[in-house]
Amino acid sequence: MIVIKTPDEIEAMRPTCRLAAQVLRMIAPHIQPGVTTQQLNDICHDYITAAGAYPSPLNYRGFPKSICTSINHQVCHGIPSERVLREGDIINVDITTYMNGYHGDTSHTFHVGKPTPKGDKIVQVAKECLDAGIRAVRPFGRLGDIGAAIEAHARKNRCSVVREYCGHGIGKSFHEDPAVLHYGRAGEGEILRPGMVFTVEPMINLGGPDIKHMPDKWTVVTKDHSLSAQFEHTLAITPHGIDVLTDLDGEYAAG
Ligand code: MF3
Ligand code: CO
Ligand code: CO
């Protein structure tokens, strides 16, 4: 069941979404060679709790940490640990906060030190895929428009789209309907109605689309060990367009 939010409910989601985006902005300068993902976790955890919010991943279905950190060929749901970041790594940091009764969810893939050519390519293509997906969202358009746009951009760049994980409705629950597939056909799927709030979060691989799970039961990696990158925003559909609730920079502002 897709929960349609009122304009007031969407306003009530704005603070948690803004906080999640602020965490990403705050953590960016800490992402340096020599830092551990546990240190990044602890800095984010303290920032989130100091803001009066809760880090949604912590204890979510048994997830043991407050953020997800996915390095290089790790696709998503990497668990912060004593692993030390090295020059040339790429790392996705996925932040979800719970505040005022609502979740907000956003992620970004960062370079550690100087980008490598392959790292640069996959991070750029993944960001462009998110942008292509968001640009395809129109009130009374279709869910399939989003996935079709993402898949077309990935293919044009000879990259692949992970199919096992998708974007999701979000609100009082971390993961709600609908499932927002990052592949598909334009004009198909649910009608995008004002009041829907969901994430778009394509996982894009430099090699093939296949994934496998690590023994920790959480970390998802590419089967062929190729690099993978991901970006995520939470957005609301309004009567006139979209409102990207985790966009601090006005990157997707109308006009
Ligand atoms: N933030 C992730 C998403 O975008 C979900 C993480 S679930 C966790 O949906 F348990 F791994 F934290
Ligand atoms: Co999400
Ligand atoms: Co997320």
Side-chain angles (χ1 to χ4, degrees):
M1 187 202 52
I2 297 176
V3 182
I4 297 293
K5 278 90 177 169
T6 65
D8 283 352
E9 287 170 329
I10 291 171
E11 284 316 308
M13 289 189 69
R14 209 177 287 283
T16 191
C17 289
R18 187 179 297 132
L19 175 64
Q22 280 166 343
V23 176
L24 276 185
R25 178 184 278 180
M26 176 281 299
I27 202 63
H30 294 278
I31 299 172
Q32 297 293 341
V35 77
T36 68
T37 50
Q38 180 67 49
Q39 288 173 317
L40 299 177
N41 178 86
D42 294 349
I43 296 165
C44 292
H45 178 95
D46 291 349
Y47 187 96
I48 291 164
T49 54
Y54 182 82
S56 307
L58 186 60
N59 300 320
Y60 175 77
R61 296 174 189 252
F63 191 79
K65 301 287 175 173
S66 300
I67 66 173
C68 296
T69 52
S70 305
I71 303 168
N72 297 340
H73 74 299
Q74 296 175 350
V75 171
C76 62
H77 303 167
I79 303 174
S81 71
E82 296 308 321
R83 177 166 174 175
V84 177
L85 296 183
R86 296 169 49 172
E87 177 97 12
D89 284 344
I90 59 171
I91 177 172
N92 175 274
V93 178
D94 194 335
I95 304 292
T96 314
T97 54
Y98 183 74
M99 188 165 63
N100 194 28
Y102 289 100
H103 297 271
D105 192 6
T106 184
S107 86
H108 193 106
T109 302
F110 300 91
H111 295 284
V112 179
K114 186 172 167 287
T116 64
K118 283 180 178 173
D120 205 28
K121 166 154 187 192
I122 195 61
V123 169
Q124 261 182 56
V125 173
K127 175 61 166 65
E128 290 164 3
C129 283
L130 173 63
D131 292 347
I134 291 176
R135 278 198 305 271
V137 180
R138 283 173 299 103
F140 306 106
R142 297 281 187 152
L143 209 44
D145 302 349
I146 302 170
I150 290 167
E151 201 177 14
H153 190 76
R155 179 166 309 158
K156 196 164 74 188
N157 288 280
R158 279 166 266 96
C159 292
S160 62
V161 177
V162 172
R163 299 171 80 90
E164 288 83 352
Y165 293 88
C166 50
H168 49 91
I170 183 167
K172 289 184 173 151
S173 302
F174 192 164
H175 294 104
E176 300 181 357
D177 287 339
V180 180
L181 303 185
H182 300 121
Y183 59 90
R185 291 180 198 253
E188 293 190 354
E190 293 270 357
I191 294 177
L192 300 174
R193 298 188 184 278
M196 286 174 62
V197 182
F198 57 81
T199 72
V200 181
E201 50 179 300
M203 286 138 271
I204 307 299
N205 300 346
L206 203 48
D210 293 350
I211 53 129
K212 59 184 188 183
H213 290 89
M214 296 302 283
D216 66 21
K217 301 276 196 3
W218 280 103
T219 311
V220 178
V221 299
T222 56
K223 212 171 190 174
D224 62 10
H225 227 264
S226 67
L227 290 180
S228 186
Q230 177 182 28
F231 289 80
E232 173 176 26
H233 274 305
T234 296
L235 64 88
I237 303 188
T238 69
H240 307 291
I242 61 167
D243 191 340
V244 181
L245 300 173
T246 47
D247 173 21
L248 280 187
D249 303 322
E251 200 184 331
Y252 305 92

